[in-house]
Amino acid sequence: MNGRVLRIELRRSVAPWAALVVLVPALAFLYLPGGAWWSGTTAWTAQWTPLALWTRSLLFYLWPLAVGLGALQGLRDHRSKMSELLTSTPRPARHRAATLAGATTITLASAFMFLVLVGGVQVLAHTEYTHLGWLPISLIGALSLVAGAVLGMGAARALPSPLTPPALTMGVFVFTALMHMSLGRTETNTASGIPITEPNRLSLLSPMVEDVREAFVTLSASVHVGQTIWLLGMAATGFALLVAATPRARLTALTPVLGGAAIALLVLPTDPRQMYVVDKAAAEMVCDGPVCVTKTQQARLADLAGPGKEALRLLHGALGDQAPASIRENTAVLQEGSTPRWSRKTLLLDFDDDIIAAAKGDELTRALIAKGMVPGCTPVGWSGFGGDEYAQTVAVGWVLGDLKPLDGTSASMRGKVEAETRPVWKELKALPRAGQLSRINSMRAAALSCEGDPFEVLSGGASR
């Protein structure tokens, strides 16, 4: 297909409109404020891997649209009543099919990669860590749009009905939803007994991905390989249906997509922990003395090092040998709903934690002391406010000698925090030094083990 033929095809096809249908709503969605993709370390413009994963998550609706637009393009010859005329020409059917498919697939892939480019320009301005590990994620996203469009074209050629495009669009949308919410999920129980659902192997037949939880978590190589095989089989079936002229040939054309699905299911991992894995290069530590962050957040190290060292000094002065000796960004990836795991000797830091994200300078020192004293035991992926936050406020007040709510505490909760913590702080300060330290150590034991309520311990109760 030369340039002249491509230009003619672009003028007489829905390909340019298909690109706009993919690009404009996707950009509008990503620029809506308030979404999880817009803030924190996993914002779609913060790091390369979150950029690739967030744009892939848009395939929940972009992929069905691509299939439907491909089907609409595949009906063109039938609508113009030229099918018999074209089959009588000496030009091979595969040439005509390549011309038909080429324009739409090129514009769809270009639109998706332009979407990635828009985010990539902003990522360059926000991070010092660059790598190519994100590229397979985005390339498979573009391939999914191409394969879906070609499959839609072939299906419409085999079933030339005005109902084919909407039926295919809805069918693929339902398939994607089932893979994400029902058939593609497996229910399990966490160690704390909380039931959760995790993605299974079937979910990976959908090109969309899970929400981004950590900037250093990516898809494994086996996922890339399995999805590529499945999508190439889908594209091959679509192209074979475009050139098939007999019912038998159309049945034979289904072989690549069925074979691709079978091979992909053999290649794709069964364990969720082997689907979404830690990128070891991105999670490698960069340190300034005892304060360490991952490579993805190395730009923050300069602002963190001073407050971090001061927090360690103050904690050592208050706790002695029981104090943490270093600060490290937390790279543990736990299943949603599980209980966090903490270290007594290492203060584990999460830049997306509310009190850390809201603090700077001296307030960051206070926030780090709070996390060193009471790391928090809210299940992974959940949110809440209660005993952990009250205990943090009292513990920081005990270390620094003044009681006030931490930055990151919402304005509506500041009054309640003051009312709950002030009596406990006064009672704690009234004890002899040995009694204060005993109660603080008991509180930390409950907080680090996530067994019992640390605020109840501070109030003079027993750890459960």
Side-chain angles (χ1 to χ4, degrees):
M1 181 170 59
N2 57 38
R4 178 172 173 273
V5 173
L6 178 59
R7 287 193 297 272
I8 293 172
E9 188 65 28
L10 286 171
R11 286 199 303 268
R12 63 195 293 261
S13 72
V14 300
W17 296 105
L20 288 175
V21 167
V22 166
L23 183 60
V24 174
L27 282 173
F29 183 84
L30 287 171
Y31 276 100
L32 285 174
W37 58 87
W38 195 240
S39 61
T41 61
T42 58
W44 80 288
T45 57
Q47 300 287 339
W48 290 104
T49 300
L51 163 67
L53 291 172
W54 280 122
T55 48
R56 273 283 294 273
S57 69
L58 296 178
L59 294 175
F60 183 80
Y61 72 90
L62 292 182
W63 191 45
L65 280 177
V67 175
L69 290 166
L72 186 63
Q73 179 76 336
L75 285 178
R76 187 183 63 187
D77 294 344
H78 177 75
R79 291 196 309 268
S80 59
K81 301 180 181 179
M82 294 178 58
S83 300
E84 292 185 6
L85 175 62
L86 291 173
T87 55
S88 66
T89 62
R91 190 181 183 192
R94 64 180 181 276
H95 289 182
R96 295 195 305 273
T99 301
L100 180 66
T104 302
T105 58
I106 288 172
T107 55
L108 283 174
S110 299
F112 187 78
M113 296 314 294
F114 182 77
L115 178 68
V116 175
L117 178 62
V118 169
V121 171
Q122 297 173 81
V123 170
L124 282 173
H126 291 157
T127 183
E128 297 178 0
Y129 178 62
T130 58
H131 62 105
L132 294 177
W134 62 275
L135 196 54
I137 302 173
S138 292
L139 290 176
I140 291 174
L143 176 60
S144 68
L145 293 179
V146 169
V150 174
L151 181 66
M153 292 178 196
R157 182 65 62 85
L159 300 169
S161 165
L163 297 177
T164 299
L168 278 177
T169 302
M170 287 305 301
V172 174
F173 181 79
V174 169
F175 170 81
T176 307
L178 289 175
M179 291 300 100
H180 185 64
M181 295 184 293
S182 178
L183 296 179
R185 312 292 296 186
T186 301
E187 184 171 317
T188 59
N189 288 321
T190 63
S192 58
I194 300 174
I196 61 169
T197 63
E198 294 182 295
N200 61 32
R201 182 166 44 184
L202 280 177
S203 70
L204 298 175
L205 294 180
S206 165
M208 73 164 294
V209 296
E210 297 288 298
D211 289 345
V212 187
R213 283 175 46 197
E214 303 289 350
F216 44 79
V217 171
T218 186
L219 291 169
S220 65
S222 57
V223 172
H224 296 325
V225 173
Q227 290 184 333
T228 300
I229 292 171
W230 156 240
L231 291 170
L232 288 176
M234 185 187 301
T237 287
F239 191 81
L241 287 172
L242 272 176
V243 301
T246 64
R248 182 175 181 179
R250 293 186 184 106
L251 285 176
T252 304
L254 299 177
T255 302
V257 70
L258 296 177
I263 296 172
L265 288 173
L266 293 175
V267 173
L268 293 170
T270 57
D271 188 343
R273 290 169 295 182
Q274 295 175 351
M275 298 174 190
Y276 295 86
V277 297
V278 173
D279 182 341
K280 293 182 179 179
E284 184 179 339
M285 291 293 168
V286 180
C287 299
D288 182 343
V291 181
C292 300
V293 298
T294 63
K295 276 192 173 181
T296 60
Q297 304 301 327
Q298 59 188 0
R300 300 187 182 213
L301 183 58
D303 293 333
L304 177 68
K309 293 173 184 177
E310 178 65 8
L312 291 175
R313 184 187 70 80
L314 291 168
L315 284 168
H316 186 268
L319 300 173
D321 293 339
Q322 297 298 312
S326 62
I327 297 175
R328 288 180 177 268
E329 186 178 352
N330 193 358
T331 57
V333 179
L334 304 176
Q335 63 183 177
E336 187 172 353
S338 59
T339 301
R341 301 171 187 170
W342 305 116
S343 167
R344 182 177 293 275
K345 287 300 182 181
T346 302
L347 194 164
L348 297 176
L349 168 72
D350 184 352
F351 284 107
D352 287 329
D353 187 281
D354 289 342
I355 65 171
I356 298 295
K360 297 183 183 300
D362 291 342
E363 286 301 322
L364 181 55
T365 299
R366 292 181 66 92
L368 290 170
I369 292 172
K371 299 303 290 186
M373 297 291 280
V374 184
C377 292
T378 302
V380 175
W382 293 34
S383 61
F385 195 95
D388 285 342
E389 288 72 25
Y390 299 150
Q392 285 175 343
T393 302
V394 174
V396 174
W398 178 77
V399 172
L400 298 180
D402 64 327
L403 183 74
K404 65 177 184 178
L406 294 161
D407 278 11
T409 304
S410 65
S412 62
M413 293 300 298
R414 286 178 175 267
K416 185 172 179 58
V417 170
E418 173 72 17
E420 292 284 343
T421 59
R422 179 69 62 177
V424 175
W425 184 69
K426 288 182 177 179
E427 180 185 339
L428 180 66
K429 295 292 286 183
L431 295 173
R433 177 66 184 178
Q436 294 178 28
L437 190 58
S438 174
R439 192 172 290 188
I440 288 290
N441 285 334
S442 297
M443 176 212 69
R444 287 194 75 225
L448 292 169
S449 66
C450 290
E451 296 178 0
D453 186 339
F455 188 60
E456 182 181 333
V457 176
L458 273 181
S459 302
S463 177
R464 289 192 299 270

